[in-house]
Amino acid sequence: MSLIRKHKLNYGWRLFLPLVGLLWLVIIAVAIYQYKNESKLREEIVNDEIRLLNSRIIAAYEQELDLMPVIQFAAKYYENSALNGIRISVYDNHGNLLYCTGTPIPSSVNGKTPPELIAANETGHGTSLRRSDVDPTQAYYYFGVRTSADGKIYVHTAMPYTSALSRELSVDKGMWLLILAMAIGTTIFAYFTTRILGRNVIILHDFATKAAAGEPLPRIDNFPHNELGDISRQIYKLYTEKDAAINRSEREHSIAIKATEDKIHMTRELSNNINHELKTPVGVIRGYLDTIATHQEMVPEMKQKFIENARNAMDRLCNLLNDLSSITRLEEGANSISNEDVDLNDLLFNISTELESINMTNNIHFSYDIPDGCIVIGNYNLLYGMMMNLIRNADFHSRGENCGIRLLSQNSREYTFAFADDGVGVGEQHLSHLFDRFYRIDKGRSRKVGGTGLGLPIVKNTVTVFGGTIFARNRQPHGLEFVFTLMKARQEASSEA
């Protein structure tokens, strides 16, 4: 079976061979039909010549002319034609031979009347093609008989089947050459036509085979520029679009699954972190309260210190719950946050004024360099909280003395700001994790200074909610810098455009 398939003719040949076979059958049938018609026509011409000769001899008889000169003239006349050698015999109604040229034609053969004579007796004229019984060396004769109107004589003519007559009756070779040329031309035309069609089908078959096997598809410009090629290109386009849609759907499905898995993982990790972060202040508070409750004899100074420590742990717990509420609001209720035009210079002035009345943990100094009229799209309270988180982060962890924000650049759509401190910076391996929830470089120190581990994630989510971006980098020679963007207010953006 595999050997048969290996040597199986392709579509082009399977289309070409039956088509050419059918065309040749039609050509051969037409040729045979034409040959018979041509042969019959030429025979009719010879018979017409014989009948015409007989009619002229009868006409001479009816005009009472001497028939012998007429017969001799006719024989002489046909010497240079295909009827050279024609025999003419004139009989009376009693079967007596009156005149003849050449060998007389008998009025009966073996006692039987010739068929042409029988027809002449019935209709006045008759012709037939038969062998001569008088001269068997000759092949076939064309016989003709014509009877006079008064029935007293009849003219009997015979034309031997000579080579000259054979040529006259033969079909012209030019017709055969024309038929052969037509057959060859038709074959060539059919070959190239079926070759084009076969090539289209072969290319389409190759495309379907490779598509089914998942192999690289043939180039679309391989398809010819005709109707079948157009259909092939449409099929190719539909397949590639469907394949692209399937691949896109698979990628989106894979991304959705990955996002769902990441979300589940993040939720589980967040739950574990929240559980851990909540346990710490709760455990501290409970520990101090249990100690106070079980040691009634505790000196007042020590009891006051324990109460103060429990209050600090309670403050940290409240800050953690507030930060959790803020980040949940930013992540899940971003669409419900109302946007407004915020004058960043006024906001930073208010923060700077408030910080003067607040004792920062490490007494870090805050400054800002923002031009007047720097109006951004945002929410005043959220932007206020974002800036406070950046300042607290610098105060808690930078170990520096100064921090501040400045305008780096702007375009028609947004401002780019940089918040930096002059502290020790962080290791490069920590930069990509600074915005992860509960990520701490020095866990013990972070808890000691009261950080919740959610300040920088809140900062990133706030910037993202308002259409901006943020990243962290170390400064030279030291310190940490946060570069972020905020969208310009509409009227300001339109005035600059």
Side-chain angles (χ1 to χ4, degrees), residues 18 33 43 87 182 375 400 407 415 471 497:
Y33 176 79
E43 289 177 7
R87 298 172 185 180
M182 290 176 59
I375 302 176
L407 177 65
Y415 292 108
F471 66 91

Side-chain angles (χ1 to χ4, degrees), residues 7 24-25 40 52 78 96 124 149 267-268 295 318 364 386 389 395 403 412 427 432 434 439 447 492:
H7 295 88
W24 274 84
L25 287 176
K40 185 176 180 180
L52 180 61
Y78 288 115
N96 299 316
T267 303
R268 186 182 298 113
H295 295 78
C318 291
I364 196 168
M386 180 191 82
N389 275 314
D395 182 54
C403 68
S412 60
S432 60
L434 290 179
Y439 184 80
R447 288 196 177 92
E492 185 175 358

Side-chain angles (χ1 to χ4, degrees), residues 308-328:
E308 187 67 28
N309 289 340
R311 183 181 292 111
N312 291 336
M314 179 61 70
D315 291 340
R316 181 169 176 268
L317 178 61
C318 291
N319 290 335
L320 177 60
L321 293 175
N322 289 333
D323 286 348
L324 284 173
S325 175
S326 298
I327 199 168
T328 301

Side-chain angles (χ1 to χ4, degrees), residues 283-335:
V284 171
I285 294 171
R286 181 175 181 177
Y288 282 121
L289 294 179
D290 286 347
T291 302
I292 294 173
T294 56
H295 295 78
Q296 299 293 332
E297 71 282 0
M298 184 181 296
V299 297
E301 293 81 6
M302 182 65 68
K303 182 183 292 186
Q304 185 63 34
K305 182 178 180 181
F306 278 20
I307 292 173
E308 187 67 28
N309 289 340
R311 183 181 292 111
N312 291 336
M314 179 61 70
D315 291 340
R316 181 169 176 268
L317 178 61
C318 291
N319 290 335
L320 177 60
L321 293 175
N322 289 333
D323 286 348
L324 284 173
S325 175
S326 298
I327 199 168
T328 301
R329 178 188 175 194
L330 289 171
E331 289 183 349
E332 298 181 0
N335 295 330

